[in-house]
Amino acid sequence: MNSGNLLLLGMGGTIAGLAGDPKKPMAYQAGQIPTQALLEGLGLEPDFGEIEVHQIANIDSRHMSEELLMQLAWAVKAGLERDDISGIVITHGTDTMEETGVFLHATLGKLASHYRKAVVLTGAMLPANAEHADGPSNLRAALYMAKESRETQQYGILAVMAGKPCLARDLSKQHTHALDALVVNARELDGPIHKRQADLNLPTQMVWPWIEIVTSHGGSSGRFVDMLTSQGVEGIVIAGTGQGSVHQALAQHLVLAAEAGIAVVRSSRTGAGAVFSEIPEPDSAWNWLSARDLTPAKARIALQLALLEANSRKTEDWQSIFATI
Ligand code: ASP
């Protein structure tokens, strides 16, 4: 095992949630228990080592903000740079864990690999006082993953839920209540993770680019696109049908939006698989970009980061930056 302590950063979520009646675990409040208390009764070995706990927030992650993302990122960065910390675990609500996962992966994944440390996100689908609460086993697995990263050579921004480890970038919530909702379609985590592009800069400004997700569906029109364009939207992620296909009425307005300088990224609303640029429309002809395997929610954060990075590098080529995430 690594020498050094672990850092446990708490954000809240169902893992720290309580049900009014433990027999009705679906009726609960997230973010009720302090992160420190989650360690009680985990049954870690006596020589497991010290765990330093920082409570950053105790929220339901549907209320996640850019400010909290930045606070979390700075706490992770500080932990990575400390010699006495060998790994980091983050407890987080599952509703937006995939967004936090892609954000940390894009901004700190390379740094984590550089220091040969794992940052492991975990959470729970059932509140802490539910009969078969999954939080304790998930947290235990995450702590051991962080602790044993040197032996397993699994570094970077990782996650574990329902016994399945993966890259945090690969999380996506694809079920409302299944215990493996976030990892059901994630790739296996296998061996060293060094094939990363350079980290993007951590945002320093409080206001990030305004990006909205627009869903394509039967009966779509472009009216919503026109409203967003007139209000100054900076980017639009299309949650397309199937392989990222877009209703022709909506597409016409999105082509105009792209011509007007709005960043347009095309993803799929299906929840799994990938969107490629050639199928079914050539994105390049319309000045759009495909989101590849990023879900609409992940593509939205990735596009924010790509626009911020392009701005700081004084380039208009956000597309090449997006492609590295
Ligand atoms: N609403 C909760 C949250 O995202 C769900 C969970 O943690 O599972 O904080």
Side-chain angles (χ1 to χ4, degrees):
M1 283 192 187
N2 287 355
S3 58
N5 302 336
L6 293 187
L7 184 61
L8 174 59
L9 303 174
M11 298 300 291
T14 298
I15 192 168
L18 289 175
D21 175 356
K23 293 208 175 72
K24 295 182 184 150
M26 302 307 272
Y28 70 95
Q29 294 261 357
Q32 302 296 300
I33 300 177
T35 310
Q36 182 74 49
L38 302 181
L39 292 170
E40 287 162 20
L42 282 191
L44 301 173
E45 274 77 32
D47 65 348
F48 184 82
E50 295 294 315
I51 303 172
E52 189 179 311
V53 180
H54 288 204
Q55 181 96 48
I56 293 180
N58 209 356
I59 59 159
D60 186 315
S61 76
R62 68 185 142 142
H63 303 305
M64 195 64 185
S65 65
E66 289 156 4
E67 191 179 341
L68 275 176
L69 274 181
M70 286 198 285
Q71 275 183 39
L72 175 62
W74 287 109
V76 169
K77 184 168 188 289
L80 290 174
E81 288 168 350
R82 275 174 59 180
D83 289 343
D84 61 333
I85 295 292
S86 60
I88 302 173
V89 170
I90 302 169
T91 50
H92 195 294
T94 61
D95 284 349
T96 60
M97 197 192 285
E98 67 191 78
E99 291 157 69
T100 298
V102 80
F103 168 70
L104 294 176
H105 175 84
T107 54
L108 294 167
K110 181 88 173 160
L111 190 72
S113 292
H114 167 77
Y115 284 114
R116 300 206 294 148
K117 294 180 187 179
V119 178
V120 188
L121 273 153
T122 197
M125 296 296 290
L126 291 168
N129 60 345
E131 201 178 342
H132 300 292
D134 54 333
S137 55
N138 286 343
L139 180 54
R140 199 182 141 87
L143 289 165
Y144 274 97
M145 250 174 94
K147 189 88 181 151
E148 294 169 354
S149 59
R150 287 273 164 89
E151 288 88 271
T152 57
Q153 297 201 11
Q154 288 171 340
Y155 319 121
I157 314 295
L158 314 178
V160 63
M161 292 282 292
K164 183 169 176 185
C166 64
L167 266 185
R169 182 196 176 283
D170 286 351
L171 292 169
S172 65
K173 195 166 186 179
Q174 292 177 13
H175 198 282
T176 54
H177 57 271
L179 299 186
D180 64 351
L182 278 116
V183 291
V184 62
N185 278 315
R187 289 172 291 183
E188 290 290 313
L189 184 60
D190 180 21
I193 303 148
H194 290 300
K195 293 176 197 146
R196 297 264 305 103
Q197 305 288 338
D199 283 336
L200 304 186
N201 287 311
L202 280 176
T204 47
Q205 56 271 70
M206 300 306 285
V207 182
W208 295 11
W210 178 24
I211 315 288
E212 292 292 343
I213 299 171
V214 172
T215 305
S216 184
H217 49 80
S220 277
S221 79
R223 280 160 59 193
F224 189 36
V225 173
D226 294 347
M227 277 166 52
L228 290 170
T229 307
S230 69
Q231 295 294 310
V233 78
E234 291 160 274
I236 293 175
V237 173
I238 311 165
T241 39
Q243 295 176 34
S245 53
V246 184
H247 192 293
Q248 57 190 0
L250 177 59
Q252 282 171 5
H253 292 252
L254 287 163
V255 170
L256 293 177
E259 273 172 20
I262 294 166
V264 178
V265 167
R266 192 166 58 87
S267 64
S268 169
R269 67 180 204 187
T270 57
V275 169
F276 298 107
S277 52
E278 299 80 15
I279 311 166
E281 323 283 2
D283 285 319
S284 54
W286 290 349
N287 228 354
W288 300 355
L289 192 66
S290 76
R292 295 162 290 126
D293 60 343
L294 297 173
T295 60
K298 289 193 277 189
R300 187 184 156 278
I301 291 266
L303 183 52
Q304 285 185 306
L305 289 174
L307 292 183
L308 286 169
E309 183 82 13
N311 195 32
S312 74
R313 289 190 205 163
K314 303 206 182 329
T315 167
E316 291 189 354
D317 184 14
W318 58 268
Q319 291 91 337
S320 310
I321 300 168
F322 184 94
T324 67
I325 298 174

